[in-house]
Amino acid sequence: MPKKFRRVVTGHTPEGKSRVIFDGPGGRVGGTDQLRITDLWVTDRMPGSNAGNADDGDRDLQLEPPRNGTIFRVAEFEPNAGDTPEQAAKAAAALFQDIQGTHSQFDTSRHPQMHRTASIDYIVILSGRLTLMLDEGDVELGPYDTVIQRGTNHAWVNKGPETVVLAAALVYADPL
């Protein structure tokens, strides 16, 4: 069951006073039955801008942040330990198509969701257990574990019985 993430975004009145401009579910949601992504906020330049009151979470989903930009995202991974290789490949193809990420799949020989992005990602596991697959080895992760994902080929696999939730800040980085 998809979670409803509450998003509180602050802004300014015309007089420069602070206020809440958005409070409630927000951002764009997408993905597949196996993985749902909610992009809560996106910037398209560095430094970012605090001007205006536009909803910068209301953009088309994309795997990577814009050039010189950022994405703040939450992701929910459903259990998939029983998937056949064919089911996993079909789900991965649908996912990467939905989030404009088919270009990121360089070597999927270990897992159909293996991909490499032009970003540095700061990730915190909020609940559940998740396996980070790399070209050379796997890392088992649990609540409050953090990963600094530096543009390496990787996949996230939920081998457990419960939904995994993580939060991530993605920052554009020059591709390798």
Side-chain angles (χ1 to χ4, degrees), residues 42-99:
V42 180
T43 64
D44 56 10
R45 64 183 184 181
M46 289 300 253
S49 174
N50 288 327
N53 290 324
D55 187 349
D56 285 331
D58 189 20
R59 298 181 183 210
D60 289 341
L61 287 175
Q62 56 188 47
L63 176 63
E64 300 168 306
R67 184 173 185 81
N68 299 318
T70 65
I71 297 174
F72 181 54
R73 162 179 295 161
V74 289
E76 300 169 86
F77 295 82
E78 294 298 332
N80 57 6
D83 287 356
T84 66
E86 295 78 20
Q87 290 170 323
K90 185 177 178 181
L95 170 67
F96 284 96
Q97 182 70 37
D98 187 57
I99 60 175

Side-chain angles (χ1 to χ4, degrees), residues 12-176:
H12 301 93
T13 67
E15 298 78 31
K17 300 288 187 183
S18 61
R19 68 181 180 115
V20 171
I21 57 173
F22 304 110
D23 183 350
R28 288 287 178 104
V29 179
T32 66
D33 290 341
Q34 291 291 325
L35 169 62
R36 284 174 303 285
I37 294 172
T38 303
D39 283 352
L40 299 168
W41 203 254
V42 180
T43 64
D44 56 10
R45 64 183 184 181
M46 289 300 253
S49 174
N50 288 327
N53 290 324
D55 187 349
D56 285 331
D58 189 20
R59 298 181 183 210
D60 289 341
L61 287 175
Q62 56 188 47
L63 176 63
E64 300 168 306
R67 184 173 185 81
N68 299 318
T70 65
I71 297 174
F72 181 54
R73 162 179 295 161
V74 289
E76 300 169 86
F77 295 82
E78 294 298 332
N80 57 6
D83 287 356
T84 66
E86 295 78 20
Q87 290 170 323
K90 185 177 178 181
L95 170 67
F96 284 96
Q97 182 70 37
D98 187 57
I99 60 175
Q100 302 176 47
T102 56
H103 67 279
S104 70
Q105 295 184 286
F106 295 95
D107 179 359
T108 59
S109 59
R110 286 208 68 216
H111 192 277
Q113 288 187 11
M114 294 288 281
H115 63 287
R116 182 174 69 200
T117 58
S119 62
I120 297 173
D121 307 339
Y122 305 102
I123 300 157
V124 179
I125 307 300
L126 300 177
S127 65
R129 301 203 58 79
L130 193 64
T131 301
L132 168 61
M133 295 182 75
L134 300 166
D135 290 330
E136 295 182 358
D138 298 346
V139 180
E140 301 301 321
L141 302 164
Y144 313 113
D145 288 345
T146 61
V147 176
I148 311 305
Q149 172 56 35
R150 299 180 57 232
T152 61
N153 196 36
H154 69 285
W156 303 101
V157 180
N158 181 353
K159 299 176 183 176
E162 64 182 296
T163 302
V164 175
V165 180
L166 63 78
L170 291 70
V171 180
Y172 176 82
D174 289 331
L176 293 175

